[in-house]
Amino acid sequence: MSDIKISRNGSMLEIALDRPKKKNALTFAMYGALTEALKSANEDGGVRVVLLSGEGDSFCAGNDIGDFLSSPGLDPVTAPPMLFIDALIRFDKPLVAAVQGAAVGIGTTMLLHADLVYADDTAKFSVPFVGLGLVPEAASSVLLPRRIGQAAANDMLLRSSVVSAKRAVELGLVNEIAPTSEGLLAFARSRAEEVASKPPRAVRATKALAGANREELLACARREAEQFATSIASEEAREAFQAFMERRAPDFSRFS
């Protein structure tokens, strides 16, 4: 599909979010394409590493709000975003990400499932779910505190604070900042190629040993999905989304 670019570079599969005019905000169709790409890469013995990137000045601005508002409901099991999260958790091979500009919501939480994350100095990370009347997803309620500590995670989750690239390195969200923005993708690609050159069985086994318990993450993601589905239908979320569309500050004063 036109909003997701998939290319093969030797033993590396490259997946690029290609909706730059919308800052790569994810539609349900894009979620479906990403899910299929990850599943295919998992099953393809010739793929040793996947490199994920975004076209334009942003990595991913999160969910496409219009797409969410037009959906009849968000099934916590079968909705395209939930299937993508499931595929991320089940992905057995190294996942490398190159991040520039905005990484919002799922644009940040999907990175918690990447094994190596590289950014340029324009990258900014945020998970503003609460401000939209929503809850965390992609098992981030477990992974984010585990990765950066409870205090820093609370700052991001409850205050919707934005984390700079430099701070993201300090917190452990990002491995390295590329020397230049223009060279970010090449920099991340070179790191991915290093991983791809290693013994593949040992790499996969090491990822499994070093990673979080898959069943724990699947259970966490399911709990989050159930809460998310309830939240997105709430009056709080309706006010938040309406305010976003009207470009005004939301008013939550009437809620208790």
Side-chain angles (χ1 to χ4, degrees):
M1 61 173 293
S2 60
D3 291 337
I4 300 289
K5 290 197 307 187
I6 300 174
S7 58
R8 186 70 173 266
N9 183 4
S11 59
M12 184 189 315
L13 185 74
E14 299 194 22
I15 304 173
L17 310 180
D18 190 23
R19 200 182 177 214
K21 291 183 179 179
K22 295 293 186 179
K23 298 189 180 296
N24 298 320
L26 296 178
T27 62
F28 280 15
M30 291 171 73
Y31 276 118
L34 288 169
T35 299
E36 289 307 310
L38 288 177
K39 287 183 176 179
S40 295
N42 237 5
E43 296 167 0
D44 187 338
V47 173
R48 293 191 174 190
V49 65
V50 168
L51 175 61
L52 181 62
S53 65
E55 296 291 331
D57 62 7
S58 291
F59 174 65
C60 176
N63 295 305
D64 184 284
I65 296 229
D67 210 40
F68 262 66
L69 291 178
S70 63
S71 65
L74 196 66
D75 187 278
V77 177
T78 62
M82 310 315 174
L83 294 177
F84 171 60
I85 290 166
D86 187 85
L88 272 176
I89 294 172
R90 295 181 187 277
F91 192 61
D92 292 328
K93 299 177 181 180
L95 180 62
V96 179
V99 182
Q100 79 286 350
V104 181
I106 188 69
T108 285
T109 60
M110 74 168 80
L111 300 174
L112 298 172
H113 300 275
D115 302 287
L116 296 166
V117 179
Y118 302 101
D120 70 9
D121 59 9
T122 70
K124 296 185 184 301
F125 305 84
S126 61
V127 283
F129 300 113
V130 166
L132 292 171
L134 304 175
V135 298
E137 32 82 313
S140 58
S141 59
V142 165
L143 289 175
L144 193 61
R146 193 172 291 175
R147 176 75 63 86
I148 68 176
Q150 192 69 55
N154 285 348
D155 205 49
M156 292 186 72
L157 291 169
L158 298 178
R159 292 186 54 247
S160 301
S161 62
V162 178
V163 172
S164 68
K166 180 181 178 181
R167 180 61 175 153
V169 172
E170 294 171 350
L171 290 172
L173 279 174
V174 169
N175 291 85
E176 294 179 79
I177 297 176
T180 66
S181 294
E182 296 77 13
L184 169 63
L185 189 57
F187 184 80
R189 188 178 287 128
S190 69
R191 294 293 192 260
E193 287 170 346
E194 289 181 32
V195 176
S197 71
K198 301 291 192 293
R201 189 208 63 80
V203 167
R204 292 193 302 273
T206 299
K207 168 172 175 155
L209 290 167
N213 180 276
R214 178 179 292 176
E215 294 307 314
E216 177 193 11
L217 296 186
L218 289 170
C220 177
R222 176 65 62 85
R223 291 194 302 271
E224 291 172 343
E226 290 168 352
Q227 286 289 333
F228 198 100
T230 299
S231 296
I232 204 169
S234 70
E235 289 293 328
E236 290 181 347
R238 188 171 295 118
E239 165 60 17
F241 288 134
Q242 192 66 36
F244 179 85
M245 303 299 283
E246 295 173 359
R247 299 189 178 185
R248 62 173 173 81
D251 179 10
F252 300 120
S253 61
R254 70 180 186 275
F255 300 110
S256 59

